[in-house]
Amino acid sequence: MSNVPNFYKDRVALNVLAGSVQNAKDCYEAADHHIVLGVLSKNYDTDEAAIKDMKLYQAETDNALSVGLGAGDPKQSQMVSRISAELQPQHINQVFTGVGTSRALLGQSDTFINGLVSPTGKPGIVNVATGPLSSDQPAAEVPIETAIAMLKDMGGSSIKFFPMKGLAHIEEFKVVAKACADNDFYLEPTGGLDLDNFEEILQVAVDAGVKKIIPHVYSSIIDKETGHTRPEDVKTLFEIIKKVLD
């Protein structure tokens, strides 16, 4: 299995949560493989349990595994780095301060690592204090261009802009998207994306000229009864992607 992401050839790839190995397979097929499947480290008590289970997901999806924190939980940062070193997944979710550790432990530059920055209410300014200790301190507000440069310094691949709360921070997102395009960096809008606002959010990033975009669509497309992501909704999102890119 390669740790070079399948989606490197894609401009847009989805990121959804997988509730089981079968759910991951179903969603992988629903998006015609233009997707990574999120499995949350927070759901496991030990590194060993996470590694054993996540290997099953890798085997069934050609390693389209996205190792997740769990609602951006900074306390999971170290565990994500440790298990990713063993798993060598295609995609890793990290808090801002955890990116360098993950890249160093991976020992390669292929795996896609995002760095979580948060909206501040001020277009062009983001909060990078998203780590285990820093998230409990006053916000560290920096220009988005500086945040991008710092992530590049640490070996990061993209900005994870979270929590977007749907369209609540769309004006800030427009500035982030332009900065990513201008600085040859990738972008992952996350938090509150759903079937209704997905197209508008994606269109902003595409219009800005971002080269690679990975929208995260989580709870809004999860079946409350089963806890699994609905493959039919993944298919709908994939159709929207094709429409926007057409």
Side-chain angles (χ1 to χ4, degrees):
M1 289 186 298
S2 172
N3 47 37
V4 177
N6 296 327
F7 58 83
Y8 264 14
K9 64 185 180 294
D10 300 326
R11 185 170 181 194
V12 180
L14 285 166
N15 189 322
V16 305
L17 291 177
S20 68
V21 174
Q22 185 59 51
N23 189 216
K25 288 173 63 177
D26 293 343
C27 291
Y28 186 61
E29 295 305 324
D32 197 21
H33 303 183
H34 302 273
I35 194 169
V36 285
L37 293 312
V39 183
L40 305 179
S41 62
K42 196 172 185 174
N43 292 343
Y44 300 93
D45 293 330
T46 65
D47 291 11
E48 292 73 23
I51 291 166
K52 182 180 178 182
D53 199 40
M54 289 186 191
K55 281 182 175 178
L56 302 177
Y57 288 83
Q58 289 179 299
E60 295 295 339
T61 62
D62 193 23
N63 195 22
L65 172 67
S66 171
V67 177
L69 295 157
D73 186 352
K75 295 182 181 64
Q76 294 301 120
S77 178
Q78 291 294 321
M79 183 178 184
V80 164
S81 290
R82 292 192 306 267
I83 65 177
S84 294
E86 174 72 23
L87 291 163
Q88 296 286 310
Q90 289 185 8
H91 186 272
I92 296 172
N93 295 272
Q94 257 302 0
V95 293
F96 189 87
T97 56
V99 170
T101 299
S102 282
R103 181 60 75 197
L105 289 178
L106 282 170
Q108 42 86 355
S109 58
D110 293 329
T111 293
F112 208 93
I113 308 175
N114 66 37
L116 195 160
V117 305
S118 298
T120 61
K122 306 167 190 172
I125 304 295
V126 295
N127 176 27
V128 299
T130 60
L133 299 177
S134 56
S135 58
D136 289 331
Q137 300 299 320
E141 298 185 352
V142 303
I144 180 60
E145 294 82 3
T146 303
I148 289 171
M150 292 168 77
L151 283 172
K152 285 183 175 181
D153 284 344
M154 294 186 285
S157 312
S158 65
I159 287 279
K160 180 176 181 177
F161 195 54
F162 172 85
M164 280 191 62
K165 299 178 182 176
L167 299 175
H169 296 283
I170 194 70
E171 294 307 314
E172 290 175 77
F173 181 64
K174 289 175 182 177
V175 180
V176 169
K178 184 177 187 309
C180 286
D182 291 348
N183 292 277
D184 194 23
F185 209 55
Y186 306 149
L187 180 55
E188 306 190 32
T190 314
L193 276 71
D194 58 32
L195 294 174
D196 294 324
N197 62 33
F198 180 80
E199 183 173 346
E200 182 175 350
I201 291 168
L202 177 59
Q203 192 72 59
V204 166
V206 169
D207 289 348
V210 182
K211 288 184 180 176
K212 292 191 189 300
I213 309 152
I214 306 177
H216 295 228
V217 190
Y218 284 177
S219 58
S220 66
I221 60 169
I222 290 176
D223 186 295
K224 301 294 187 289
E225 299 288 317
T226 64
H228 292 179
T229 293
R230 292 185 289 267
E232 62 271 24
D233 287 351
V234 171
K235 191 168 287 188
T236 299
L237 291 168
F238 184 51
E239 291 303 317
I240 294 172
I241 290 171
K242 290 193 287 188
K243 174 188 168 188
V244 170
L245 294 180
D246 189 14

